[in-house]
Amino acid sequence: MNTITLLQPDDWHAHLRDGLALERTVPDLAKQFSRAICMPNLVPPVKTVEEAEAYRSRIMAHVPEGIEFDPRMVLYFTDQTSPKEILKIKKSEHVNAIKLYPAGATTNSDNGVSDISKVYAVIEQLEKHQVPLLLHGEVTHNHVDIFDREKRFLDEVLSPLMKQFPGLKLVLEHITTSEAANFVLEHDRNVAATITPQHLLFNRNDMLVGGVKPHFYCLPILKRQTHQQTLLEVATSGNPKFFLGTDSAPHSKNAKENACGCAGCYSAPTAIELYAQAFDQAGKIDRLEGFASHFGADFYGLPRNTSTITLVKEDQIIPESLDYLDGEKIVPLYAGKTIQWRKL
Ligand code: DOR
Ligand code: ZN
């Protein structure tokens, strides 16, 4: 198959940042996806429906002419989030979910939840109103090995949470391990997961063998190849509980190539082609449309898109870098490398 046509895909997990960054990130994402869940980990974070609407307007101001893009917004869960805010989400036109970062887990997560058992009153409202809880599923204790943090989250935080709130609708974001994939498989259809292109295409050897490659560093960190294999299996299985979420997360070249480099891979400009590459390598390109264009919308209770895109099997070289902010550069995921798919 050298050409495939898909319903327009959506990205159910992306970081656009704010201010000048939007000049780069919004056009890149809007050219690829019809809708995107815009993550709220700004400084300061997006904590209320009102703040989310204001952020959405700033995003909309950067959508290129002639392109339709519908940013779907998410609130940032803090220790102070009011249970009343959940009903506001339910009634809002543009806000679809709330994102829980365990405090300290990743970029701009300092205002995240310090102890999930302290916010059960809010989670009760989420379950009641069927508002999705989006999870950065890693524990943050210093003594827990970075490669074990997702598994420990499942055992120590998520399993007890699911026992307490069995009807909770949740997305385990950017899963990286077989344990997370199995957790999703073992629960009913209220429990779903997003998977990034980097976790399908790469493993920790790509990041660490032959020198440290900071542009592969993201959180949760790339795991060993057996986990990559499981993620490929579930993503290409046709199971609607697994869908596309790039976690495209821009950081300038200087911030990545640094003694203390930031976590995040910038995949937005060629995201759908990167996924096509992964699905094709697995011999499952025919399963891309469900993963990229059907299952996320179905989970969120939003209509599927109606327009289509076409991908051709044709080499393209990912640029070495792109302009970012005022005179800075950003290095996209797999920069300088050739992939076999191109979006028309
Ligand atoms: O690698 C990551 N980058 N993981 C996250 O969870 C956050 C993101 C970011 O905002 O840079
Ligand atoms: Zn993210």
Side-chain angles (χ1 to χ4, degrees):
M1 230 194 294
N2 290 325
T3 304
I4 55 164
T5 297
L6 317 173
L7 274 191
Q8 180 87 36
D10 300 305
D11 184 353
W12 300 101
H13 184 134
H15 299 265
L16 291 164
R17 313 297 188 213
D18 207 351
L20 272 183
L22 299 177
E23 289 176 13
R24 169 89 259 157
T25 59
V26 177
D28 281 349
L29 201 66
K31 285 176 196 166
Q32 285 263 323
F33 298 106
S34 173
R35 292 171 289 201
I37 288 264
C38 304
M39 284 291 147
N41 60 335
L42 308 181
V43 186
V46 179
K47 297 191 294 289
T48 63
V49 168
E50 214 179 341
E51 287 165 5
E53 289 291 353
Y55 180 36
R56 187 173 187 277
S57 302
R58 300 198 293 280
I59 293 170
M60 288 305 284
H62 290 85
V63 177
E65 225 164 282
I67 291 185
E68 279 187 36
F69 182 59
D70 177 13
R72 308 309 311 174
M73 310 311 290
V74 172
L75 303 193
Y76 185 113
F77 207 147
T78 73
D79 286 346
Q80 284 76 41
T81 300
S82 157
K84 290 192 187 123
E85 202 66 31
I86 305 311
L87 195 55
K88 289 193 191 158
I89 298 180
K90 186 72 186 173
K91 290 184 176 163
S92 105
E93 191 187 340
H94 299 125
V95 185
N96 286 97
I98 188 162
K99 173 73 184 271
L100 190 151
Y101 293 96
T106 186
T107 309
N108 302 335
S109 64
D110 298 348
N111 293 295
V113 169
S114 59
D115 176 351
I116 202 161
S117 64
K118 289 191 195 151
V119 294
Y120 272 15
V122 180
I123 295 179
E124 206 175 288
Q125 293 301 305
L126 292 173
E127 185 185 40
K128 178 170 168 202
H129 297 295
Q130 290 293 286
V131 170
L133 174 65
L134 313 188
L135 288 168
H136 183 110
E138 290 192 287
V139 296
T140 54
H141 321 294
N142 268 336
H143 63 272
V144 179
D145 190 280
I146 187 168
F147 292 100
D148 298 336
R149 288 178 174 202
E150 185 172 272
K151 182 187 174 335
R152 293 281 292 264
F153 183 87
L154 302 173
D155 298 343
E156 292 164 22
V157 182
L158 198 48
S159 291
L161 186 74
M162 291 306 295
K163 282 206 181 82
Q164 184 90 11
F165 303 102
L168 188 64
K169 200 170 165 78
L170 68 89
V171 184
L172 202 45
E173 299 288 335
H174 41 53
I175 59 167
T176 63
T177 58
S178 306
E179 289 85 359
N182 289 334
F183 186 94
V184 173
L185 288 170
E186 282 158 13
H187 284 80
D188 70 9
R189 64 193 174 84
N190 268 357
V191 178
T194 53
I195 308 182
T196 75
Q198 63 267 25
H199 292 102
L200 293 175
L201 286 166
F202 308 111
N203 60 63
R204 64 195 194 181
N205 275 12
D206 296 294
M207 180 175 58
L208 295 171
V209 172
V212 178
K213 322 278 190 332
H215 297 291
F216 286 127
Y217 174 59
C218 63
L219 290 171
I221 199 160
L222 294 177
K223 305 296 191 300
R224 62 169 67 240
Q225 194 195 12
T226 49
H227 295 293
Q228 180 194 359
Q229 196 50 44
T230 309
L231 297 178
L232 268 170
E233 278 162 24
V234 295
T236 62
S237 68
N239 186 325
K241 289 151 76 75
F242 300 93
F243 49 82
L244 187 157
T246 61
D247 199 19
S248 179
H251 293 277
S252 69
K253 185 171 194 282
N254 286 336
K256 293 284 296 173
E257 297 174 11
N258 191 291
C260 185
C262 292
C265 300
Y266 189 58
S267 58
T270 48
I272 193 66
E273 293 103 315
L274 289 162
Y275 281 109
Q277 178 89 9
F279 276 62
D280 194 21
Q281 277 168 10
K284 296 279 177 61
I285 193 75
D286 57 313
R287 294 277 166 83
L288 182 61
E289 187 177 31
F291 177 83
S293 317
H294 297 168
F295 305 152
D298 297 353
F299 180 85
Y300 278 94
L302 294 167
R304 291 182 184 177
N305 295 318
T306 49
S307 57
T308 57
I309 61 159
T310 298
L311 303 174
V312 282
K313 194 162 186 179
E314 205 173 276
D315 283 0
Q316 76 159 310
I317 302 173
I318 298 185
E320 293 283 358
S321 69
L322 302 162
D323 291 333
Y324 187 52
L325 303 176
D326 204 2
E328 296 202 46
K329 294 281 179 194
I330 189 163
V331 178
L333 181 63
Y334 220 32
K337 297 288 196 304
T338 302
I339 54 171
Q340 275 83 51
W341 287 86
R342 195 166 62 77
K343 179 176 174 289
L344 290 183

